[in-house]
Amino acid sequence: TWDVTSASDSASDGDLATRSGSLRFVLAHATGGDFVSFARFDSAADKIFINSTLTVPDGVAVGRTRDAGCGSFKTPLTNLAADAAISPVVSLASGASLRNIDIGSGGGVSLKISGANANVCGVGLGIEYDRDGLLIMTLPPSHSALVVDAPAASVYSSYFNGAIIVSTRGSDSRLG
């Protein structure tokens, strides 16, 4: 398990010995089978501002594991926000999962599934709630909320405030 403990977006903000730090630091060091937890994340803003695309590596689970409940986009573990020029804000590699996270304000594309067998559940795209369930804002991304560009993706129990694009590579994907 890796713990997100900082709202920073620095790839050097972390500690390998304790397996903790910023989301970008944790994702830079996580490998297949690892879990990225927000249990120790205590940000008064409930938000992490992203300066460039975050890539979730092959087989890494962010927010909750696949065998855990999805959570709800109305009570996210955190919100990710980005400048409108960042596209996508988050990219999921093969076998990666994203659960119980909102990708709210900004970004050209909120989420791109670029690897096979990715899993998205309880995620809000183009909307932000705080951890207590209070709606903060709805701001759709400038291009699309979701791009599915790989086969066998599963996306469910989520909210999309924007277009959904499924490429010809998105065969056998399930949205619902």
Side-chain angles (χ1 to χ4, degrees):
T1 298
W2 289 86
D3 289 306
V4 176
T5 56
S6 168
S8 158
D9 189 38
S10 171
S12 61
D13 181 9
D15 182 354
L16 288 173
T18 62
R19 296 174 63 101
S20 64
S22 71
L23 179 56
R24 188 167 304 277
F25 175 86
V26 165
L27 289 176
H29 294 90
T31 60
D34 285 349
F35 169 53
V36 176
S37 172
F38 289 84
R40 293 180 38 206
F41 182 63
D42 185 25
S43 170
D46 293 330
K47 189 179 291 190
I48 299 172
F49 291 94
I50 304 303
N51 296 314
S52 62
T53 299
L54 280 173
T55 299
V56 179
D58 292 348
V60 172
V62 176
R64 295 178 189 266
T65 60
R66 286 191 186 203
D67 62 349
C70 291
S72 170
F73 65 87
K74 291 185 178 180
T75 53
L77 298 169
T78 194
N79 283 285
L80 304 179
D83 182 271
I86 298 171
S87 187
V89 176
V90 176
S91 178
L92 295 181
S94 293
S97 64
L98 183 68
R99 290 176 170 233
N100 202 197
I101 305 292
D102 284 357
I103 304 173
S105 58
V109 172
S110 294
L111 177 62
K112 180 177 182 180
I113 296 175
S114 54
N117 195 31
N119 177 275
V120 177
C121 189
V123 170
L125 302 175
I127 194 164
E128 291 182 22
Y129 281 86
D130 70 9
R131 287 189 257 181
D132 296 321
L134 178 66
L135 178 64
I136 298 171
M137 76 169 62
T138 60
L139 180 64
S142 61
H143 184 264
S144 58
L146 173 67
V147 173
V148 179
D149 195 28
S154 56
V155 182
Y156 50 98
S157 300
S158 296
Y159 178 89
F160 308 102
N161 184 20
I164 298 171
I165 297 170
V166 180
S167 79
T168 57
R169 291 185 288 273
S171 64
D172 293 328
S173 290
R174 307 213 187 286
L175 307 176

